Amino acid sequence: MTTLESPVRDVMLETDRGRFAACRAGSGEPVVLVAGYLGSKEDFAPLLPLLAAAGYAAWAVDHHGQHESPGSDDPSAYTLSAMAQDLLAVIGEVGEGEPAHVVAHCAGAAVAHAAAVALPRAVRSFAPLGSLLTGSEKETAFLTWCADAVAAEGAAGLHTLVDHWVRTDPDRADLMRARLSTTRTGHLIGFARLLCGPRAGVGELAGSGVPLLFVHGADDEFTGSPEDYQRTARRFGRDAVAVEGAGHCVQLDRPQETAAALTGFWRAVSADRRRVPAAEGR
């Protein structure tokens, strides 16, 4: 069993963009973990102690209006630019002015992507989990249905969906039902709708110089096939990491393997950063 010098702690981050609920563990280079739509910081609970044990200060954060973070009931408050600025404020707070490694699951990767394009120097590296960064027709249809259901019925419009998930993952029933009741309806509508609109382009990220690693479950049927991930990753001159035995929530299905892929990537990023070109002859 992994042990920590300090346990995972619940904290409330105070930033110039407002207050954000977070779970944190460990010390070292900062890592910020960003949840997806209908998710929360608790989706990274298995990863936090593993990343802490590897020597990182890991912070999992709820978005503005998500689960335990305060937020607006106005859907128009949730724009991609605003949520990216929220993330940059969180990075600035936990990193104390230093850049952070950013890990983002599914829809959260769109926010992290926009943040990396907006301020590349704040993002030491970026690892999308279960995301190709560009929304597919399947994802857009799902998000449109969610936004319309909440607009018509409030959070109750998603009860059938959550009940289905509970049947497939009963151990997380209490969490899934609790965060549906605590997440602001403005967030549920606004976040879904923004994800159906324009996003930062993959080419913009490639030009930013931010190191990138795609990690996905080999059995993920929601966002794309392993071949889709390899094609996208090769646009950056990299391979994607397919985690065997994992579905869409790779960090929950195979936390050890996901942590190993991430920490190996970060060590390589740090090694590249330490390399100094040889001085020219005088």
Side-chain angles (χ1 to χ4, degrees), residues 231-244:
R231 278 193 295 271
T232 301
R234 284 170 186 156
R235 293 176 64 182
F236 297 89
R238 300 192 61 89
D239 288 328
V241 175
V243 178
E244 295 297 328

Side-chain angles (χ1 to χ4, degrees), residues 144-161 163 180-181 183-186 188-189 193:
T144 299
W145 178 86
C146 288
D148 290 347
V150 178
E153 303 179 53
L158 300 181
H159 281 175
T160 301
L161 174 64
D163 287 345
L180 183 60
S181 67
T183 298
R184 298 286 187 175
T185 56
L188 293 172
I189 298 168
R193 287 181 174 164

Side-chain angles (χ1 to χ4, degrees), residues 88-211:
L88 291 170
V90 167
I91 291 171
E93 183 67 26
V94 304
E96 298 180 345
E98 294 298 314
H101 299 289
V102 177
V103 179
H105 182 240
C106 192
V111 175
H113 185 181
V117 169
L119 193 64
R121 68 176 182 273
V123 181
R124 196 180 299 278
S125 73
F126 174 32
L129 305 183
S131 172
L132 288 163
L133 299 182
T134 55
S136 67
E137 290 185 8
K138 183 176 181 179
E139 288 177 274
T140 299
F142 170 75
L143 291 162
T144 299
W145 178 86
C146 288
D148 290 347
V150 178
E153 303 179 53
L158 300 181
H159 281 175
T160 301
L161 174 64
V162 170
D163 287 345
H164 169 71
W165 287 346
V166 164
R167 287 193 292 274
T168 61
D169 193 1
D171 291 342
R172 289 167 56 80
D174 290 346
L175 170 63
M176 286 190 277
R177 288 179 173 138
R179 67 188 176 193
L180 183 60
S181 67
T182 55
T183 298
R184 298 286 187 175
T185 56
H187 174 98
L188 293 172
I189 298 168
F191 193 11
R193 287 181 174 164
L194 78 83
L195 292 164
C196 297
R199 303 187 188 183
V202 172
E204 294 175 88
L205 182 61
S208 72
V210 174

